[in-house]
């Protein structure tokens, strides 16, 4: 893995990396659960592993927004738009590979319907789709020179809009759910809908603009201390409310589908935890900047997007043949099989992204750069 120069905001890079590292474990157990079955004794462990990484997406998206912030320069709208359609195309390519190969295996081994398989998985909401839609959403708002603070207020409204729409959307036909699930929470397959998740990178934008205006590290540390202290006080106040009145504020930390739903209350909770989490990493990065752990996370950060791509391809294309063998022998997925498979995928993902991550990302960005392709064609004419 190429040695990366330590960033002024290295805590953001480390948090992005750590938020993604648990995904092979979560996705492996999800794959076994979706396509086959897990032993009853292993299900509680499965839920425990998922809970360990449940904060990852919201923290990653806040860090992503932080990275997009540029308080001293105006962002190029065209660049946002380009990033948007590129991520949408990359998401589609990932779908074809991670589900297409198991689909072919499934068709020839079990004669299951190809159409049924595609209906159940292809085009469903995913973090790549969300990132693409968010860039397009941002490009539209920035075109009309809407400030980051106003965008933040808009994203609060979009969560409320989703809440109002939910009852009208949950009984839609499957094709409509697949399409609208990218924009609004409909069911547990609407993993990262724009209406409820746009607020996280937008908060990252606001915090990033504030932090990047600081003149030195001491000022940055002070800002983090203030944000984390306020977050901790509010978090403890919510905990007291929850214990006193049993209003279940902490539901998103215990029920995975509620986490994806992200109501106003659960969003507040996730943001508070993210602020505390990032501040802790600020302290760790200041104190242990040269430690192996911090260096590893820093060096992995530029490779997070190809890491996500690679681990998903490995999860589906390794788990599905194992599932076919387990089905043939009528054996349920044990805890040992789940952990062993996920650890193998984790290590293999790290090794592959270390060697091919940059090349993969460059290749994906090249083949999805539609604007450049068209300009080359026009130049030839």
């Amino acid at each position: 893995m190429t040695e990366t120069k330590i960033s002024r905001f290295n805590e953001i890079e480390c948090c992005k990396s750590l938020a993604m590292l648990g995904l092979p474990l979560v996705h492996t157990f999800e794959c076994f659960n979706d396509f086959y079955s897990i032993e009853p004794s292993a299900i509680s462990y499965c839920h425990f592993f998922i809970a360990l990484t449940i904060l990852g997406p919201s923290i990653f998206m806040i860090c992503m927004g932080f990275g997009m912030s540029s308080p001293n320069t105006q962002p190029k709208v065209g660049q946002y738009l380009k990033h948007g359609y590129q991520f949408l195309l990359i998401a589609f390519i990932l779908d074809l590979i991670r589900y297409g190969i198991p689909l072919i295996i499934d068709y020839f081994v079990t004669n299951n319907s190809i159409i049924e398989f595609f209906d159940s998985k292809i085009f469903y909401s995913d973090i790549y789709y969300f990132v693409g839609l968010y860039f397009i959403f941002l490009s539209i708002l920035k075109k009309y020179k809407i400030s980051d603070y106003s965008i933040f207020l808009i994203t609060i409204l979009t969560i409320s809009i989703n809440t109002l729409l939910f009852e009208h959307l949950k009984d839609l036909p499957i094709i409509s759910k697949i399409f609208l699930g990218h924009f609004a929470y409909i069911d547990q397959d609407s993993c990262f809908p724009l209406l409820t998740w746009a607020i996280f990178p937008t908060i990252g934008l606001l915090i990033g603009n504030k932090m990047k205006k600081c003149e030195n590290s001491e000022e940055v540390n002070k800002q983090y201390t203030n944000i984390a202290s306020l977050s901790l006080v509010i978090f403890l106040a919510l905990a007291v409310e929850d214990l006193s009145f049993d209003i279940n504020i902490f539901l998103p930390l215990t029920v995975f589908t509620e986490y994806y739903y992200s109501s106003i209350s659960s969003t507040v909770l996730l943001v508070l935890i993210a602020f505390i989490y990032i501040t802790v990493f600020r302290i760790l990065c200041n104190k242990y900047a040269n430690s192996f752990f911090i260096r590893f996370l820093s060096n992995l950060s530029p490779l997070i997007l190809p890491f996500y791509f690679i681990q998903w391809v490995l999860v589906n294309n390794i788990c599905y043949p194992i599932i076919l063998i387990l089905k043939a022998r009528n054996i349920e997925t044990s805890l040992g099989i789940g952990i062993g498979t996920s650890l193998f995928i984790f290590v293999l993902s790290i090794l592959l992204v270390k060697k091919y991550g940059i090349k993969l990302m460059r290749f994906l960005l090249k083949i999805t750069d539609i604007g450049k392709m068209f300009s080359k064609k026009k130049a030839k004419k």
Side-chain angles (χ1 to χ4, degrees):
M1 202 178 293
T2 307
E3 190 75 12
T4 304
K5 186 179 178 182
I6 296 296
S7 164
R8 182 186 175 199
F9 299 100
N10 200 36
E11 68 282 356
I12 299 297
E13 307 305 321
C14 291
C15 286
K16 276 196 298 185
S17 298
L18 198 60
M20 286 289 178
L21 282 180
L23 291 182
L25 185 67
V26 174
H27 291 156
T28 297
F29 275 96
E30 283 183 349
C31 188
F32 281 124
N33 194 46
D34 288 347
F35 291 103
Y36 190 40
S37 63
I38 298 174
E39 283 182 358
S41 59
I43 288 175
S44 58
Y45 290 98
C46 173
H47 290 162
F48 171 73
F49 293 136
I50 289 174
L52 284 178
T53 57
I54 202 168
L55 299 171
S58 53
I59 290 170
F60 172 80
M61 289 177 190
I62 289 172
C63 293
M64 181 188 85
F66 191 106
M68 292 166 62
S69 61
S70 52
N72 300 319
T73 57
Q74 284 296 321
K76 294 179 179 178
V77 173
Q79 200 68 25
Y80 280 159
L81 187 61
K82 177 183 174 181
H83 289 331
Y85 71 68
Q86 282 189 298
F87 271 103
L88 292 178
L89 289 172
I90 290 170
F92 176 66
I93 293 167
L94 174 59
D95 270 355
L96 289 179
I97 297 173
R98 67 174 165 175
Y99 295 124
I101 296 172
L103 158 68
I104 294 167
I105 295 170
D106 189 60
Y107 177 72
F108 284 107
V109 174
T110 66
N111 292 319
N112 283 344
S113 168
I114 289 179
I115 301 300
E116 182 182 335
F117 194 97
F118 264 87
D119 281 350
S120 66
K121 288 297 173 187
I122 297 293
F123 303 127
Y124 263 112
S125 177
D126 183 81
I127 202 164
Y128 273 164
Y129 284 119
F130 168 80
V131 172
L133 289 173
Y134 183 75
F135 270 117
I136 293 171
F137 168 76
L138 207 57
S139 71
I140 294 168
L141 296 177
K142 288 294 183 182
K143 183 179 180 180
Y144 294 100
K145 303 189 185 304
I146 297 174
S147 69
D148 291 340
Y149 180 72
S150 298
I151 294 172
F152 171 65
L153 295 179
I154 290 169
T155 59
I156 293 175
L157 288 174
T158 60
I159 296 175
S160 299
I161 290 168
N162 187 92
T163 303
L164 292 171
L165 290 175
F166 176 66
E167 288 299 321
H168 304 286
L169 297 175
K170 61 182 182 180
D171 296 322
L172 289 172
I174 185 71
I175 297 298
S176 300
K177 280 186 176 182
I178 292 172
F179 175 74
L180 291 174
H182 293 289
F183 299 93
Y185 181 84
I186 297 172
D187 55 28
Q188 63 183 15
D189 290 312
S190 311
C191 293
F192 302 106
L194 184 65
L195 289 180
T196 59
W197 282 81
I199 193 167
F200 294 108
T202 304
I203 288 172
L205 272 173
L206 289 172
I207 298 297
N209 285 332
K210 186 175 181 65
M211 293 296 184
K212 289 175 183 180
K213 286 179 180 176
C214 295
E215 294 181 358
N216 51 57
S217 294
E218 288 73 22
E219 196 176 337
V220 173
N221 292 339
K222 185 178 178 181
Q223 293 286 358
Y224 270 122
T225 302
N226 292 339
I227 292 171
S229 300
L230 179 61
S231 300
L232 186 59
V233 169
I234 297 172
F235 181 83
L236 292 174
L238 289 174
V240 171
E241 290 282 314
D242 190 71
L243 291 171
S244 301
F245 302 106
D246 196 25
I247 51 180
N248 221 358
I249 291 171
F250 295 95
L251 188 64
L253 300 183
T254 58
V255 182
F256 209 40
T257 53
E258 174 66 16
Y259 171 73
Y260 281 143
Y261 174 73
S262 291
S263 60
I264 292 286
S265 58
S266 61
T267 299
V268 170
L269 174 65
L270 293 168
V271 170
L272 293 175
I273 294 172
F275 285 162
I276 297 167
Y277 182 94
I278 294 169
T279 303
V280 168
F281 260 90
R282 177 73 184 184
I283 296 167
L284 292 175
C285 287
N286 285 341
K287 195 168 184 179
Y288 305 105
N290 294 316
S291 67
F292 171 79
F293 180 60
I294 297 298
R295 284 282 182 183
F296 172 76
L297 293 177
S298 301
N299 293 332
L300 183 64
S301 180
L303 302 171
I304 282 302
L305 292 174
F307 175 81
Y308 182 82
F309 191 101
I310 288 169
Q311 62 87 31
W312 251 129
V313 172
L314 291 177
V315 164
N316 280 15
N317 291 287
I318 289 174
C319 288
Y320 197 70
I322 293 174
I323 288 169
L324 289 177
I325 294 169
L326 293 176
K327 277 184 178 179
R329 298 187 176 185
N330 200 26
I331 302 171
E332 286 187 306
T333 307
S334 66
L335 182 62
I337 292 172
I339 292 178
T341 305
S342 61
L343 287 177
F344 174 73
I345 291 170
F346 173 79
V347 172
L348 189 56
S349 297
I350 294 291
L351 293 174
L352 289 175
V353 83
K354 178 181 175 181
K355 190 164 186 178
Y356 302 109
I358 296 295
K359 291 179 181 177
L360 172 64
M361 210 59 212
R362 284 175 180 166
F363 173 73
L364 290 171
L365 292 174
K366 184 178 180 180
I367 64 173
T368 56
D369 192 350
I370 299 172
K372 197 170 183 179
M373 288 181 183
F374 279 120
S375 63
K376 281 184 178 180
K377 286 182 180 179
K378 285 181 180 179
K380 286 180 181 179
K381 288 180 180 179

